[in-house]
Amino acid sequence: MSTAILTGPPPAGSSLEEDLRSLGFAVRVTADVAGALAAVPAAERVAVVDHRFVGHVHALRLALTDPRFPAGAVEGALTVQPDARASLTRALAATDDGASLPGVLAARLEADGVPVHRPDLGVLVAAVPDGDDARAKTLAETGAVDDEAVRLRSAVKSRDGFFTTFCISPYSRYLARWCARRGLTPNQVTTASLLTALIAAGCAATGTRGGFVAAGVLLLFSFVLDCTDGQLARYSLQYSTLGAWLDATFDRAKEYAFYAGLALGASRGGGHDDVWALALGAMVLMTCRHVVDFAFNEANHDATANTSPTAALSGRLDSVGWTVWARRMIVLPIGERWALIAVLTALTTPRTVFYVLLIGCAFAACYTTAGRVLRSLTRKARRTDRAAQALADLADSGPLAEAAAGSLGRTVPGRAYSAPFWAVLAAACLLIGPLVTGSGGTWRAVLQAVVYAVFAGVAVAQPLKGPLDWLVPPVFRGAEYGMILGLAAQSGAPGALPAAFGLVAAVAYHHYDTVYRIRGGTGAPPHRLVRAIGGHEGRVLAVTIAAALWHGRGFTIALTVLAAAIALVVLSESIRFWVSSGAPAVHDETGEPA
């Protein structure tokens, strides 16, 4: 329960008390705000509202009920979470009751170091009119705006893909409102979306034409629910740490489970087509592309002097309406990608789905990466220690790379492009031999994995503040995932590729988990976890040794055991973190392609 303290009796005809109760507040009307505050249990949210307040209910909702901020305010209303109660008490102690308007208190809170969230109200009204004439005018302004229509519009991301914006959001927002009015939570809708996608994957796994058609339809419906859960969270301001974890991970789980379903369906269909290598390749490409996005953003979001001619050109293109949608579509964001997968699944074969997906995503990855490289080369940004630490965390280095960084890495002079140079050299040493000369599954490949670990350590020994240092994490991801794919494909062992698919999925979960923790401001997973699962270079060495030691089903068993062990360790620690009180409420409001 939350408590709202009104500074006095509202004017006759005011609906303020009723509005606050509709938002879940118990209302106390008193001029003794300090005394009323002391009577509210310390674990409760409390709001102080001027009794003369006039405005929309949704304006109050945005300011007083958003759980992501320690304090929030609009004109005439202020709220604080339990952690900021002490600051509010001090602010009240320094203010006469007659002058304790929410605006004064908000200013004192900010002076005391408490960040106060002030939502952008747009056309919504929140005011404290002085006098009857001003009150009548404000009431008329309030009545002229339909706050429910504003609430529905604001439930949709301001920046999203073409397919999502024009084919999903026009009706999914109403589905979100329907869910809110029936007491459904975003987490329940997210779970329904996951279950729907898993059923779609199961339909695809049947290998029948009817199963593929049903899979395509269900995958689209899963995406509708995926849009609905975020819109429901924004519509009703139901943000939570558990919701952050579910939202951050389920999209990838759904897409990659569907890849596995298609691969199973292809093998069970009339042609008995083996497309596991294509399915794993699609997952590798998609994950590496996301790591490029994450690493670039982390390297540059707080950089100073962060301008470039390429960025200026992009801004000019954004001023031309059609180019905005064209550029958003060609990068195949989640809406376009899932629509493409769904339609092709229903009408063609799994092999065709993966061929088109690989070609489209490869083009999108080249387009986005080239643009970011050009921006990095032409801007004169100064990157912070925080950005360098984020890149080091995303690199996911284990004990072997750390040992190399602390020894050989200290002797290598650091230059602007040293880190990406050593990372690319490490990847080349790892991949060129086994994948080009066919040395995979031999002890020579193990030696090359050792060289990879050494060069990877030299790369992360650099300060990671150079123009292209954000390429280091995606290069390591491509090397690790590519090695697993290549060794599994070359081995020819029964079940090796599905086992490799499971291993890459487990490791990719760890990497996505790292990203969302960094985004939430809590830092990467504990280093003991990274050490426990070997780091990227330790896993590469383990897989190459397994390929050299065991052939046939022995290699498949080794990959399966390694995948299960990593999944158990990573998931247990991740679940513990995300359900803890210290986990951040991370929700993607950027609309960037996912």
Side-chain angles (χ1 to χ4, degrees):
M1 176 62 75
S2 302
T3 299
I5 303 171
L6 284 179
T7 59
S14 173
S15 63
L16 182 57
E17 289 186 66
E18 180 182 345
D19 293 341
L20 290 170
R21 291 192 181 97
S22 72
L23 297 177
F25 287 93
V27 180
R28 298 188 183 185
V29 180
T30 177
D32 181 14
V33 177
L37 177 63
V40 177
E44 287 188 10
R45 172 195 287 268
V46 65
V48 178
V49 183
D50 194 298
H51 64 284
R52 298 166 296 172
F53 177 88
V54 174
H56 290 102
V57 177
H58 192 49
L60 289 173
R61 180 182 291 106
L62 291 172
L64 304 183
T65 67
D66 197 322
R68 297 173 296 175
F69 307 103
V74 291
E75 185 177 354
L78 166 74
T79 187
V80 296
Q81 298 270 35
D83 291 346
R85 285 280 297 275
S87 293
L88 181 60
T89 300
R90 289 192 294 270
L92 280 168
T95 308
D96 293 335
D97 284 344
S100 60
L101 294 174
V104 176
L105 296 176
R108 291 185 180 275
L109 284 174
E110 290 177 318
D112 199 30
V114 177
V116 178
H117 172 63
R118 301 177 186 275
D120 181 10
L121 298 182
V123 297
L124 296 176
V125 176
V128 181
D130 187 12
D132 292 341
D133 291 342
R135 181 176 180 82
K137 180 181 178 181
T138 306
L139 285 170
E141 292 172 351
T142 304
V145 176
D146 183 353
D147 72 335
E148 176 61 21
V150 173
R151 187 182 178 189
L152 270 176
R153 286 198 302 271
S154 62
V156 178
K157 285 181 182 179
S158 58
R159 186 177 189 272
D160 225 327
F162 181 90
F163 180 77
T164 304
T165 299
F166 294 103
C167 300
I168 304 296
S169 293
Y171 58 88
S172 62
R173 69 184 75 181
Y174 295 101
L175 179 58
R177 181 171 66 181
W178 182 89
C179 293
R181 291 177 175 177
R182 281 150 184 82
L184 298 176
T185 67
N187 293 348
Q188 291 171 330
V189 178
T190 301
T191 303
S193 176
L194 174 66
L195 293 176
T196 304
L198 293 179
I199 295 172
C203 291
T206 62
T208 64
R209 177 51 52 196
F212 288 144
V213 172
V217 173
L218 288 171
L219 186 65
L220 283 178
F221 182 61
S222 174
F223 182 65
V224 172
L225 293 176
D226 182 57
C227 296
T228 301
D229 65 358
Q231 291 165 358
L232 175 58
R234 288 182 285 273
Y235 181 83
S236 56
L237 298 184
Q238 295 183 72
Y239 300 103
S240 68
T241 55
L242 178 60
W245 176 58
L246 297 177
D247 187 58
T249 57
F250 277 13
D251 279 352
R252 303 289 78 77
K254 289 181 287 190
E255 186 168 359
Y256 298 161
F258 195 80
Y259 293 173
L262 284 174
L264 286 171
S267 64
R268 298 178 62 181
H272 298 287
D273 193 10
D274 187 352
V275 297
W276 275 107
L278 296 177
L280 180 51
M283 182 165 66
V284 169
L285 178 58
M286 192 57 56
T287 304
C288 290
R289 177 188 167 191
H290 285 143
V291 175
V292 168
D293 295 341
F294 298 144
F296 178 82
N297 291 335
E298 287 300 325
N300 291 284
H301 87 280
D302 59 355
T304 56
N306 200 10
T307 59
S308 76
T310 307
L313 175 61
S314 178
R316 288 195 295 272
L317 288 175
D318 282 344
S319 65
V320 183
W322 68 268
T323 66
V324 175
W325 294 117
R327 292 165 66 210
R328 290 187 191 178
M329 290 174 68
I330 63 175
V331 299
L332 276 186
I334 187 170
E336 277 76 357
R337 193 168 67 250
W338 281 29
L340 179 68
I341 294 170
V343 172
L344 291 177
T345 297
L347 300 180
T348 65
T349 65
R351 180 172 289 273
T352 301
V353 174
F354 286 123
Y355 278 152
V356 174
L357 186 62
L358 285 166
I359 293 171
C361 288
F363 174 81
C366 292
Y367 170 79
T368 55
T369 304
R372 286 166 179 171
V373 168
L374 286 174
R375 290 190 184 196
S376 300
L377 292 174
T378 56
R379 69 173 30 136
K380 300 183 183 299
R382 293 184 294 277
R383 292 171 176 83
T384 63
D385 291 338
R386 179 203 172 280
Q389 183 59 52
L391 292 180
D393 291 334
L394 289 173
D396 195 36
S397 301
L400 295 177
E402 288 177 340
S407 53
L408 181 61
R410 292 181 177 179
T411 67
V412 176
R415 294 185 173 86
Y417 301 100
S418 293
F421 169 78
W422 287 103
V424 171
L425 183 61
C429 291
L430 179 68
L431 297 176
I432 289 178
L435 301 186
V436 175
T437 67
S439 64
T442 68
W443 289 104
R444 189 172 66 181
V446 175
L447 178 61
Q448 291 166 331
V450 173
V451 174
Y452 168 78
V454 173
F455 287 170
V458 175
V460 295
Q462 308 302 317
L464 297 184
K465 291 186 177 181
L468 296 179
D469 286 0
W470 55 270
L471 286 171
V472 171
V475 168
F476 288 162
R477 296 298 80 76
E480 179 184 359
Y481 300 160
M483 169 56 71
I484 296 172
L485 168 59
L487 289 180
Q490 283 187 356
S491 71
L497 280 168
F501 189 97
L503 175 57
V504 172
V507 176
Y509 175 87
H510 163 63
H511 292 142
Y512 281 113
D513 188 50
T514 301
V515 165
Y516 282 99
R517 294 199 201 194
I518 294 173
R519 277 188 173 184
T522 59
H527 198 60
R528 65 178 182 274
L529 174 68
V530 178
R531 285 177 169 270
I533 60 176
H536 66 96
E537 80 288 354
R539 292 187 296 270
V540 162
L541 186 59
V543 173
T544 54
I545 290 175
L549 285 175
W550 299 293
H551 303 281
R553 291 199 176 274
F555 184 51
T556 299
I557 294 172
L559 291 177
T560 303
V561 170
L562 185 58
I566 291 175
L568 178 63
V569 173
V570 168
L571 280 172
S572 59
E573 199 283 331
S574 177
I575 292 171
R576 180 208 60 77
F577 171 79
W578 285 104
V579 300
S580 71
S581 59
V586 180
H587 291 267
D588 179 21
E589 303 298 332
T590 65
E592 292 294 336

